[in-house]
Amino acid sequence: LLRSGTEMRLLAILLAITLQPIFMGDVIQLYAIGEWSLSKEQLATFFTLIPVLGALGNVVGGRCVKALGVRLFTAIATLSNMLFWAGCCVSHKAALICAGIGFLGPARTLGASTALTTIGASKGIPQGQLSGDRSNLIAILKVIGPAVYGSLYVRGKASGMTTLPFVLNVFLTFVALVLAPFALARIPGEEEKKAS
């Protein structure tokens, strides 16, 4: 993905940045127990509602992309995800409220993923290769994520800044928000949508 031209490189970086928060590992659960002091019932509610809202966001997201266009939808979904992580910096209740308001956040990867497939096909890259490269990227992020977030949580706990993993996610979503217009600049069909 990184060796297939500037467009593909930007899209791969955007995809990696938007996917990375998914791979926090058990840090968010440890945080919920250790910092928010959630009961078993509250944990169950939190970790049930978040995936349900994520599923809803992905279902609605597909329709929103058609109506809004890839770039505008990606901006809204990325801001929605940033809102959730900012809520996590405050409390679990704030996180739930922000997740409800920003329920499109989990669909933030749709734009980059769709663009990778579309632009990759226009460059003659086989779909099997694209799929394999995307799987390799995800596998790398799955290894990096828990190590980075775990280290941030331990360092944050030692320094009294336990929200460091969430601060990183706010930063990553901000970077994605800035990068997305450049990475998604040449998506086929977007110019026609912009004109209408």
Side-chain angles (χ1 to χ4, degrees), residues 1 6 12 15 26 30 35 37 43 57 60 68 90 101 106 118-120 131 142 144 148 151-152 165 171-172 180:
L1 295 176
T6 304
L15 186 61
D26 294 329
L30 288 171
E35 307 306 319
S37 303
L43 277 172
V60 175
L68 301 172
V90 178
I101 295 168
T118 305
I119 292 172
S131 181
K142 278 183 181 178
I144 292 172
V148 169
S151 174
L152 281 176
F171 174 74
L172 289 174

Side-chain angles (χ1 to χ4, degrees), residues 18-101:
T18 55
L19 281 171
Q20 188 62 85
I22 296 170
F23 303 115
M24 288 184 77
D26 294 329
V27 170
I28 193 163
Q29 191 170 354
L30 288 171
Y31 194 93
I33 295 166
E35 307 306 319
W36 290 336
S37 303
L38 298 187
S39 66
K40 288 181 182 178
E41 292 77 16
Q42 288 173 316
L43 277 172
T45 301
F46 186 81
F47 288 106
T48 300
L49 282 176
I50 297 302
V52 167
L53 288 169
L56 176 65
N58 279 301
V59 169
V60 175
R63 293 176 184 165
C64 288
V65 168
K66 290 178 186 175
L68 301 172
V70 173
R71 280 178 281 190
L72 179 56
F73 172 78
T74 300
I76 292 168
T78 303
L79 278 170
S80 297
N81 193 241
M82 186 188 294
L83 183 64
F84 170 67
W85 295 119
C88 287
C89 290
V90 178
S91 70
H92 88 279
K93 287 181 183 175
L96 283 173
I97 291 167
C98 291
I101 295 168

Side-chain angles (χ1 to χ4, degrees), residues 142-166:
K142 278 183 181 178
V143 172
I144 292 172
V148 169
Y149 289 105
S151 174
L152 281 176
Y153 178 61
V154 169
R155 289 181 185 200
K157 201 162 174 62
S159 64
M161 294 181 61
T162 56
T163 58
L164 279 180
F166 303 132

